Amino acid sequence: MNDRSRRVRTGVMAATVAALLMGLAGTAAADRKPSHYDRGKYYPERGRHVDRAPRAAVEIRHRTHPYYYHRGTWYRPDGPRFLVVAPPLGLVVPVLPRYYSTFWFGGYPYYYANDVYYVYRPQMQGYVVTAPPPVAETVGSTPASELFVYPMEGQDEPLQASDRYECHAWAVRETGFDPVRPQGGVGAADWSRKREDYQRALAACLTGRGYSVR
């Protein structure tokens, strides 16, 4: 093979490799779904397929169907892969996502994260996925940053749920304020002060059980 033929063949191969790389890049770009942020937290876009759920995801079954929950994002099996989905109404999760907002409607708190609303049900010792309230009251809404709780001793999800419920019950007994009751179960004039007392009591209890609270 002469030099000219060798150069032509090398050029064709280079062009072919470049075309393949461009095609792969185009496919990756087409498969890459946009994502969104909620209170500064990144969430994968719903409808997006992933090869596997995060390793730390918690399996929660709802009407015999498995869902996987990880930091406010929900996944369900879809063939050999997993699909990012919205959780069904009525599904119960033991703990709220780390970043959430609280909205009060009719004196009752709704917890919001990643386009999902949750309400606390003490009899279930968990938070139930619910329909959004007709109107979210801005007065009295409280961001989660007021009480950020992190397990410092490797507490798993069930233990976190148990600790939070027991500390919640203790804080209610100590302060007379119950956030799952309309207006906390106190008079309007006492709402702000009693709520702060409840938050302090809850934080003290959780700190004593090995959580970082701020």
Side-chain angles (χ1 to χ4, degrees):
M1 180 181 296
N2 58 35
D3 290 342
R4 184 175 182 278
S5 298
R6 191 176 291 111
R7 286 196 300 270
V8 170
R9 183 176 180 181
T10 301
V12 170
M13 290 178 64
T16 302
V17 170
L20 287 172
L21 291 175
M22 290 178 65
L24 290 173
T27 300
D31 290 342
R32 191 180 300 122
K33 300 288 186 180
S35 300
H36 72 279
Y37 289 79
D38 182 1
R39 292 185 55 80
K41 175 69 175 71
Y42 165 91
Y43 294 105
E45 192 75 9
R46 289 174 186 163
R48 178 181 182 180
H49 280 91
V50 296
D51 291 335
R52 60 184 65 85
R55 292 180 61 183
V58 176
E59 180 180 348
I60 298 176
R61 302 191 74 86
H62 179 71
R63 297 179 180 174
T64 73
H65 298 294
Y67 291 84
Y68 293 84
Y69 172 75
H70 184 255
R71 297 183 177 179
T73 299
W74 292 88
Y75 305 83
R76 67 170 172 80
D78 188 32
R81 306 179 74 193
F82 289 83
L83 183 67
V84 181
V85 297
L89 298 181
L91 186 150
V92 181
V93 63
V95 294
L96 289 169
R98 185 170 299 175
Y99 300 95
Y100 65 87
S101 297
T102 305
F103 298 96
W104 292 81
F105 179 76
Y108 195 85
Y110 285 73
Y111 305 100
Y112 172 87
N114 192 14
D115 296 331
V116 179
Y117 285 88
Y118 304 83
V119 292
Y120 184 70
R121 293 286 183 260
Q123 66 274 23
M124 298 179 180
Q125 296 189 24
Y127 300 85
V128 181
V129 176
T130 187
V135 178
E137 298 177 9
T138 56
V139 177
S141 62
T142 56
S145 58
E146 291 190 9
L147 192 61
F148 177 84
V149 181
Y150 182 79
M152 297 294 292
E153 300 175 1
Q155 297 93 327
D156 59 17
E157 297 274 358
L159 181 56
Q160 289 180 49
S162 175
D163 284 342
R164 189 170 183 103
Y165 177 73
E166 291 175 7
C167 284
H168 155 77
W170 179 81
V172 170
R173 291 195 300 270
E174 290 294 308
T175 65
F177 182 90
D178 187 347
V180 303
R181 295 180 58 191
Q183 203 170 286
V186 300
D190 296 326
W191 183 88
S192 180
R193 177 177 59 83
K194 284 288 190 178
R195 178 181 172 279
E196 290 179 0
D197 291 343
Y198 167 84
Q199 293 280 59
R200 282 194 294 268
L202 180 62
C205 180
L206 290 169
T207 298
R209 295 193 180 205
Y211 295 85
S212 171
V213 183
R214 63 177 187 272

